[in-house]
Amino acid sequence: MKRFIAATLVAVLMFTFGASSVFANEKDLKAAVSNLIGTPYKYGGTTTKGFDCSGFVRYVYNQYDISLPRTSKSQAQKGTKVDKKDLQAGDLVFFNTTGKGISHAGIYVGKGEFAHASTSKGVRISKLSDSYYAKRYVTARRITTTKNFV
């Protein structure tokens, strides 16, 4: 079931971003997300002209009619909690970057990496083990279900 959900998410991402074939592994999810890599950071941004972190997450999920709240703090209250050791491609990861609770979000792409909109570098892929993110990791949520894709 877990592989089916991850494979379905990858398929939808690949279709959404115009890929010519469907893939079912983390490497290919990263390839789909890579179409947005380099999109600049824009506070409050929700389009390919510029994203903030929650705008990026919301944009990706909106591509296949999965509605999420606007802020990372609100997004972290949706779906099902996932232990860090059980992360799967497509899960959302959340961080406390301000010292005031959840303030940053990204999409786990597998192998300890997540896609997100960084304030300094725009949309990029980072490692959960990077000291900055490791110290600030708060939780993860699974939003996707087979129902979302039927």
Side-chain angles (χ1 to χ4, degrees):
M1 180 62 106
K2 291 178 182 179
R3 288 184 188 255
F4 174 75
I5 293 169
T8 304
L9 177 60
V10 171
V12 170
L13 283 171
M14 296 303 291
F15 176 76
T16 300
F17 296 112
S20 59
S21 59
V22 176
F23 302 93
N25 63 47
E26 291 112 12
K27 181 179 177 184
D28 300 318
L29 175 58
K30 278 205 256 184
V33 170
S34 74
N35 289 319
L36 297 172
I37 299 290
T39 301
Y41 180 87
K42 180 179 180 187
Y43 182 77
T46 60
T47 71
T48 56
K49 291 185 179 187
F51 291 113
D52 66 11
C53 64
S54 59
F56 166 73
V57 168
R58 192 171 187 218
Y59 176 86
V60 172
Y61 274 80
N62 277 344
Q63 297 308 300
Y64 31 124
D65 299 323
I66 299 173
S67 180
L68 290 175
R70 177 62 187 96
T71 68
S72 55
K73 185 175 182 178
S74 295
Q75 290 171 355
Q77 297 171 357
K78 298 298 179 183
T80 305
K81 184 175 177 161
V82 179
D83 286 335
K84 195 173 188 180
K85 66 180 176 32
D86 295 326
L87 285 170
Q88 297 176 10
D91 289 342
L92 302 184
V93 290
F94 298 94
F95 306 86
N96 178 349
T97 59
T98 63
K100 298 177 183 178
I102 291 172
S103 55
H104 189 63
I107 302 171
Y108 186 73
V109 294
K111 298 188 181 182
E113 297 180 324
F114 68 104
H116 63 116
S118 158
T119 56
S120 61
K121 298 181 181 177
V123 175
R124 62 175 301 164
I125 293 178
S126 298
K127 293 180 181 286
L128 288 172
S129 62
D130 288 350
S131 62
Y132 180 83
Y133 295 108
K135 291 176 188 175
R136 292 164 175 82
Y137 180 88
V138 175
T139 191
R141 306 296 283 189
R142 184 159 298 143
I143 304 299
T144 57
T145 66
T146 53
K147 180 180 177 184
N148 293 129
F149 300 105
V150 174

